[in-house]
Amino acid sequence: MRGRFITFEGGEGSGKSTQTAALAQQLRAHGIDVLLTREPGGSPGAEIIRHVILSGAARPFGTDVEAILFAAARDDHLRVTILPALAAGRWVICDRFFDSTRAYQGALGAVDPQLIRSLERVTVGDNIPDLTIMLDVPAETGMTRAAARRGAAHADRFEAEDLTFHRKLRETFLDIARQEPQRCVVIDGTQPPQQVEEAIWGAVRDRFALADAPIAQVAAS
Ligand code: Z5A
């Protein structure tokens, strides 16, 4: 049986890396084979493109070219990593996917929606996520968290954008969730990590009709 495909979206510092890892652990405790991956990246070819984009090297070519590069990375990631895992029955958790292109390059980068749709059609096609968790935090919170974590290191291509950019980004993700409520669940990411984890687990358990307790507890009861 094909595995399930779960994506996480949200602004920077919204807690995606923390929560994708927590969900993978929870699913594994339920006996589910999980592949944890991320975008841009997740395959050798896509990791090279990640470096080109996040270093800012592609910025002078404009947002259309950046959107095309994200799409090229996604195409490789899907073909090399995600689709084979799903076909083998594994569950795939991906930190960012096509909603990030819609938001960062589409809404914020002003890339023509028709180009965004065409890129989705040729890369993603019917491989739409079964569930998308939108981690929602105010832009200020996310930027403060990301800056604290970064320390003295340089901000990357998108971290360097200003507060207005990150506020608009948040609204764009919430708009996507409003437009596709059957796929997206918005989770309040301002709560302590353990509470965020429980809220996500509730959404995943309900969506896929999973038992509440891990396998070890079920077996012991
Ligand atoms: N991008 C794009 O433009 N178009 C695309 O199509 C795609 C991506 C796919 C990738 O950056 C960049 O590419 C991204 C969008 C763009 N740009 N930005 N900005 P990345 O992969 O390097 O990083 P990111 O995806 O933006 O995530 P992040 O900034 O690393 O943050 P996060 O994963 O959401 O959060 P975190 O690492 O789990 O947590 C951040 C800190 O907050 C950390 O110290 C945690 O311990 C702390 N934290 C986490 N949760 C909490 C709670 N609940 N309370 C308090 N503190 C917390």
Side-chain angles (χ1 to χ4, degrees):
M1 190 181 137
R2 177 188 173 276
R4 303 293 191 177
F5 184 22
I6 303 172
T7 56
F8 277 64
E9 300 280 2
E12 72 159 321
S14 54
K16 292 176 282 62
S17 309
T18 307
Q19 295 301 333
T20 49
L23 178 61
Q25 203 178 355
Q26 181 74 268
L27 288 171
R28 285 176 186 135
H30 282 73
I32 293 170
D33 186 6
V34 178
L35 173 76
L36 182 54
T37 186
R38 62 141 187 216
E39 290 207 349
S43 63
E47 288 293 330
I48 293 169
I49 300 174
R50 175 186 175 91
H51 175 71
V52 171
I53 302 171
L54 296 190
S55 67
R59 191 173 191 172
F61 299 106
T63 49
D64 283 2
V65 169
E66 284 184 319
I68 291 165
L69 287 172
F70 276 113
R74 182 160 304 127
D75 188 62
D76 194 62
H77 185 210
L78 265 165
R79 281 184 301 105
V80 172
T81 304
I82 296 177
L83 295 180
L86 291 173
R90 303 182 76 191
W91 287 39
V92 175
I93 301 175
C94 188
D95 186 341
R96 295 196 183 281
F97 195 60
F98 64 177
D99 295 309
S100 284
T101 305
R102 292 178 183 181
Y104 282 84
Q105 283 66 52
L108 278 301
V111 172
D112 185 342
Q114 225 175 324
L115 175 59
I116 299 283
R117 277 196 297 274
S118 301
L119 292 171
E120 274 184 23
R121 197 174 55 248
V122 296
T123 57
V124 178
D126 294 335
N127 300 300
I128 307 291
D130 297 301
L131 174 66
T132 296
I133 302 288
M134 296 274 187
L135 276 181
D136 181 48
V137 299
E140 294 84 345
T141 307
M143 289 178 81
T144 305
R145 283 183 192 169
R149 189 201 43 197
R150 191 164 59 238
H154 281 299
D156 73 25
R157 158 74 178 87
F158 298 98
E159 288 169 350
E161 296 284 359
D162 65 11
L163 190 56
T164 310
F165 177 99
H166 288 282
R167 283 187 178 142
K168 196 169 167 203
L169 187 65
R170 180 190 188 194
E171 284 315 309
T172 305
F173 280 125
L174 291 174
D175 275 348
I176 293 172
R178 277 190 283 270
Q179 284 160 22
E180 295 187 53
Q182 70 292 353
R183 173 172 67 87
C184 303
V185 174
V186 178
I187 302 284
D188 176 5
T190 62
Q191 310 168 84
Q194 180 65 35
Q195 272 172 253
V196 179
E197 187 180 329
E198 282 164 17
I200 292 170
W201 177 244
V204 171
R205 190 196 50 211
D206 292 352
R207 178 63 58 101
F208 301 114
L210 297 172
D212 201 19
I215 282 182
Q217 286 177 26
V218 173
S221 62

